[in-house]
């Protein structure tokens, strides 16, 4: 147990409870936030003097890629990045800065880097079902942060065969419950629904939600609607996490808007929305422009929809995606090296190096498009900060992104150095908004935790996990958010006076549900035995591993405020 900790006299920013108060005391007992003791005679085991500092909940990353086969493939593809980790001081002897350390650091270093920025929870947004066992073991080796992941579902052959036969929606619900249970995940990720299956069959690209998936005769619309309804009915903690058609292509905002309209009223989380918000001619990659306004209008009028931005920042990184079709398309444009995989019965993926250059007009438009999303969305509770690590940039670049959102002068300075045409192809130059520290706390902490259904994360009310970050205010926003003064994880001080002093293991969370009964499993097991190449007994992560995971209750059992309420916006 971590004992009684008092954080005294800081400026506490806790948007989930409408708090921005200075000074204010915070108390943590045995890893949980508690109400202030009634007696003034209570003596804490330790007191942190936070006068003059900013106190926030620990950061929560709703969308990153830090485990599983795709990450391992990128490490295999880019061994030169390991050199960036050699010769550094031991992580437990000092904090690691958020400079460039490669796009795919080792599992251990990933935990150190997140904690060194004040993050205490991360969610890997795309794990293939067959890779779940590996992902759990890699996440267990990622210290200092709590973890979760989402299971890929949108191109699973069992699902497509079920829809092709016109079977009941209850069959789809049983499939989703089984998939999440067998992999020990928090929910499901849908990537280019049906489009990956066409790519694996070497068939034409699916570019519209009403195109037909070869062999199955179903459409992306059918796949997405059935999965969104299933997730809602089951009560998954996190809504369907969607990566739609035509990612990265000029003109794809039309597809994105049509997709959102097709599932209006159903909760959905739109992943790396920047990559889905382009105008231009689909046949001319160089024509790329920002087309954010209509999509933002839709989000502003649909509180059931949330997004993470997937911000592009300049520099070298690695693209890794379950959308193998898009990865192949990009490799053709850049003539870069590509590692592509077909995953049996489930999905496909692609991994390739890339460098975003501020002299490249297309890359500059992508940079400006992401910033427009942050600055044009009315309700920050619907938006989460992300770079789709490492696709848009490494998560270590989050302080740079925060500086761009908080400081309009710095943003204009950066914009002035980009190709002139970017000012005509985007609306960023007309956007003067500057985010407050409270809004930054929403998009980096409170909103991502709420989106993931993690009721004990992202806030500082009684019962919350004792995950706290304490920053030294500075006019240099990048410096402020790069090197926190203290980081507390589950009540334990892990960063003390800017140095990592403790390395707790953290926990991995999964959706809390009972095992399916035999009737629900019978048809799935029969299909598995007829189609899969491994025995049914290997289809799940196993009870021994499952017993070590932290259960997260159903969304329907979580007190969830409407993101459009005045209280949520305060």
């Amino acid at each position: 147990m971590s004992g009684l900790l008092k954080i005294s006299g800081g400026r506490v920013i806790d948007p989930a409870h409408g708090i921005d108060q200075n000074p204010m005391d915070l108390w943590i007992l045995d890893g949980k936030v508690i109400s202030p003791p009634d007696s003034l005679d209570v003596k804490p085991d330790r007191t942190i003097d936070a006068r003059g500092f900013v106190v926030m909940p620990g950061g929560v990353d709703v969308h990153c890629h830090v485990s599983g086969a795709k990450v391992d493939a990128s490490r295999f593809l880019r061994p030169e990045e390991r050199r960036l980790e050699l010769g550094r001081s031991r992580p437990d002897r000092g904090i690691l800065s958020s400079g460039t350390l490669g796009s795919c650091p080792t599992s251990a270093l990933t935990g150190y880097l997140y904690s060194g920025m004040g993050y205490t929870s991360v969610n890997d947004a795309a794990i293939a079902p067959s890779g779940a066992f590996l992902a759990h073991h890699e996440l267990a080796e990622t210290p200092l942060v709590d973890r979760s992941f989402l299971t890929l579902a949108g191109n699973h052959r069992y699902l497509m065969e079920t829809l092709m036969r016109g079977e009941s929606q209850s069959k789809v619900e049983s499939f989703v419950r089984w998939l999440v249970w067998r992999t020990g995940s928090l929910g499901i990720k849908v990537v280019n629904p049906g489009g990956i299956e066409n790519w694996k069959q070497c068939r034409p690209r699916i570019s519209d939600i009403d195109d037909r998936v070869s062999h199955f005769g179903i459409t992306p619309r059918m796949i997405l609607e059935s999965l969104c309804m299933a997730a809602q009915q089951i009560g998954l903690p996190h809504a369907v996490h969607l990566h739609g058609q035509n990612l990265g292509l000029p003109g794809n905002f039309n597809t994105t808007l049509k997709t959102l309209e097709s599932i209006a009223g159903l909760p959905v989380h739109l992943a790396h929305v920047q990559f889905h918000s382009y105008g231009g001619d689909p046949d001319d990659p160089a024509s790329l422009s920002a087309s954010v306004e209509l999509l933002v209008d839709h989000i502003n009028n649909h509180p059931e929809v949330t997004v993470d931005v997937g911000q592009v920042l300049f520099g070298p990184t690695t693209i890794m995606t379950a959308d193998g079709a898009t990865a192949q398309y990009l490799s053709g444009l850049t003539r870069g090296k590509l590692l592509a995989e077909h995953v049996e019965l489930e999905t496909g993926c692609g991994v390739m190096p890339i460098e975003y250059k501020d002299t490249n007009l297309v890359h500059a438009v992508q940079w400006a498009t992401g910033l427009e999303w942050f600055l044009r969305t009315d309700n920050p509770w619907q938006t989460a900060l992300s770079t789709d690590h490492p696709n848009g940039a490494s998560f270590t670049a989050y302080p740079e992104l925060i500086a761009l959102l908080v400081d309009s002068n710095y943003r204009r300075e950066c914009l002035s150095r980009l190709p002139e045409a970017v000012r005509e192809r985007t609306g960023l130059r007309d956007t003067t908004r500057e985010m407050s520290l409270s809004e930054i706390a929403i998009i980096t902490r409170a909103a991502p935790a709420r989106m993931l259904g993690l009721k004990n994360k992202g806030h500082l009310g009684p019962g919350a996990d004792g995950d706290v970050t304490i920053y030294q205010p500075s006019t240099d926003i990048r410096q402020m958010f790069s090197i926190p003064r203290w980081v507390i994880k589950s009540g334990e001080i892990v960063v003390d006076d800017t140095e990592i002093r403790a390395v707790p293991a953290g926990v991995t969370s999964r959706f809390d549900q009972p095992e399916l009964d035999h009737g629900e499993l019978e048809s799935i097991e029969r299909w598995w035995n007829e189609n899969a190449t491994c025995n049914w007994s290997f289809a799940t992560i196993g009870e021994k591993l499952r017993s070590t995971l932290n259960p997260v209750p159903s969304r329907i059992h979580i007190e969830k405020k409407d993101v459009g309420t005045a209280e949520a916006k305060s």
Side-chain angles (χ1 to χ4, degrees):
M1 295 294 185
S2 53
L4 182 61
L5 172 67
K6 180 182 180 182
I7 301 171
S8 175
R11 176 188 173 185
V12 175
I13 299 178
D14 181 13
H17 295 96
I19 293 172
D20 186 344
Q21 182 175 330
N22 186 23
M24 181 177 175
D25 295 340
L26 194 67
W27 294 78
I28 300 173
L29 176 63
D30 294 337
K32 296 288 184 180
V33 178
I34 63 170
S35 299
D38 294 331
S39 173
L40 297 178
D41 297 329
V42 173
K43 300 298 182 184
D45 296 292
R46 177 168 175 182
T47 298
I48 293 177
D49 184 355
R51 289 174 295 178
F53 292 86
V54 174
V55 181
M56 294 183 179
V60 180
D61 196 342
V62 74
H63 186 121
C64 61
H65 303 285
V66 295
S67 66
K70 63 191 179 303
V71 174
D72 292 337
S74 70
R75 291 168 180 155
F76 175 79
L77 188 65
R78 305 195 69 182
E80 68 274 11
E81 289 200 334
R82 300 285 69 76
R83 297 174 186 170
L84 296 170
E85 298 173 18
L86 298 177
R88 299 185 63 83
S89 61
R90 284 179 52 189
D92 56 339
R93 292 185 177 171
I95 202 165
L96 292 168
S97 70
S98 58
T100 300
L101 284 168
S103 52
C104 300
T106 61
S107 295
L109 187 53
T110 294
Y112 286 111
L113 290 169
Y114 265 113
S115 183
M117 292 195 309
Y119 273 70
T120 55
S121 300
V122 300
N123 178 63
D124 192 303
I127 297 294
S130 59
F133 189 82
L134 170 65
H136 277 294
H137 279 279
E138 291 187 337
L139 290 174
E141 295 176 358
T142 306
L144 290 156
V145 292
D146 293 335
R147 299 85 45 168
S148 57
F149 71 76
L150 305 174
T151 308
L152 290 163
N155 288 273
H156 202 290
R157 285 208 162 202
Y158 177 86
L159 170 66
M160 291 188 288
E161 288 180 12
T162 299
L163 295 175
M164 178 179 67
R165 291 192 297 267
E167 298 195 39
S168 67
Q169 177 64 17
S170 64
K171 286 281 190 181
V172 176
E173 291 173 14
S174 294
F175 163 75
V176 172
R177 287 190 60 222
W178 167 76
L179 194 66
V180 172
W181 172 81
R182 66 156 283 208
T183 57
S185 70
L186 204 59
I188 56 174
K189 171 75 170 290
V190 177
V191 173
N192 191 358
I196 305 307
E197 178 61 29
N198 259 32
W199 172 70
K200 289 163 70 174
Q201 294 183 33
C202 298
R203 300 299 178 90
R205 169 186 284 271
I206 285 184
S207 59
D208 186 89
I209 63 170
D210 293 312
D211 287 348
R212 295 285 169 177
V213 181
S214 298
H215 176 71
F216 296 94
I218 61 173
T219 65
R221 182 193 294 267
M222 294 169 63
I223 294 171
L224 183 56
E225 287 180 348
S226 65
L227 288 176
C228 285
M229 288 188 291
Q232 183 183 48
Q233 184 63 31
I234 295 165
L236 293 179
H238 181 51
V240 165
H241 200 100
L242 174 63
H243 160 148
Q245 267 74 37
N246 297 329
L247 177 131
L249 297 182
N252 65 4
F253 84 95
N254 289 299
T255 307
T256 305
L257 186 60
K258 185 176 180 179
T259 300
L260 290 173
E261 290 172 346
S262 74
I263 52 173
L266 290 169
V268 69
H269 178 88
L270 191 57
H272 41 61
V273 67
Q274 176 274 135
F275 287 110
H276 294 280
S277 308
Y278 301 145
D281 181 351
D283 296 322
D284 180 10
S287 70
L288 194 81
S289 63
S291 196
V292 174
E293 186 173 359
L294 290 177
L295 294 174
V296 167
D297 286 346
H298 182 96
I299 301 301
N300 289 339
N301 290 309
H302 288 83
E304 74 277 8
V305 181
T306 59
V307 305
D308 65 81
V309 171
Q311 179 68 39
V312 162
L313 295 167
F314 302 117
T317 188
T318 304
I319 289 175
M320 57 175 70
T321 175
D323 194 343
T326 292
Q328 184 172 339
Y329 168 79
L330 290 175
S331 71
L333 290 180
T334 63
R335 299 181 182 178
K337 56 182 178 179
L338 170 70
L339 193 159
E341 290 184 294
H342 292 207
V343 182
E344 179 194 34
L345 305 175
E346 298 169 347
T347 187
C349 72
V351 177
M352 61 173 288
I354 191 171
E355 181 175 0
Y356 295 105
K357 299 179 179 180
D358 58 7
T359 56
N360 182 299
L361 176 58
V362 169
H363 297 167
V365 168
Q366 292 178 307
W367 176 88
T369 302
L371 294 175
E372 276 199 65
W373 261 103
F374 283 112
L375 299 168
R376 288 180 180 271
T377 306
D378 288 344
N379 187 352
W381 285 92
Q382 289 177 264
T383 308
L385 184 142
S386 79
T387 57
D388 186 16
H389 166 83
N391 288 288
S394 169
F395 66 81
T396 59
Y398 287 174
E400 164 71 8
L401 175 52
I402 293 171
L404 288 165
L405 298 176
V406 169
D407 187 343
S408 62
N409 289 329
Y410 176 59
R411 193 166 63 237
R412 282 193 296 270
E413 177 188 334
C414 293
L415 181 62
S416 69
R417 296 196 296 264
L418 301 181
E420 179 66 28
V422 75
R423 287 174 279 286
E424 304 300 326
R425 296 194 187 190
T426 76
L428 185 62
R429 66 178 177 182
D430 301 321
T431 306
T432 59
R433 177 182 173 186
E434 293 183 331
M435 281 194 166
S436 66
L437 288 182
S438 182
E439 289 175 316
I440 294 300
I442 292 173
I443 66 174
T444 61
R445 290 153 164 80
R450 186 174 291 179
M451 293 171 189
L452 292 169
L454 301 175
K455 67 177 182 178
N456 295 328
K457 304 290 187 186
H459 70 96
L460 297 174
D465 289 346
D467 297 351
V468 183
T469 305
I470 304 174
Y471 294 106
Q472 171 72 63
S474 173
T475 56
D476 186 340
I477 296 297
R478 283 172 297 182
Q479 176 75 4
M480 174 179 172
F481 284 94
S482 293
I483 307 179
R485 187 69 171 269
W486 292 278
V487 178
I488 296 95
K489 178 72 191 73
S490 300
E492 181 177 5
I493 300 173
V494 296
V495 173
D496 192 353
D497 198 16
T498 75
E499 293 192 352
I500 293 178
R501 298 297 189 183
V503 190
V507 297
T508 302
S509 297
R510 65 171 175 88
F511 174 43
D512 186 19
Q513 63 171 349
E515 183 177 354
L516 279 71
D517 62 37
H518 179 72
E520 291 178 295
L521 283 174
E522 186 176 12
S523 65
I524 300 174
E525 182 176 357
R526 184 170 58 251
W527 178 88
W528 182 277
N529 289 331
E530 291 173 355
N531 293 278
T533 57
C534 65
N535 188 281
W536 171 252
S537 63
F538 293 100
T540 72
I541 61 171
E543 288 305 318
K544 183 176 181 180
L545 180 57
R546 189 184 310 280
S547 67
T548 68
L549 303 183
N550 184 48
V552 176
S554 165
R555 176 185 289 259
I556 60 176
H557 295 143
I558 295 176
E559 181 182 356
K560 182 175 183 297
K561 297 184 178 74
D562 181 350
V563 295
T565 64
E567 181 179 1
K569 292 181 179 180
S570 61

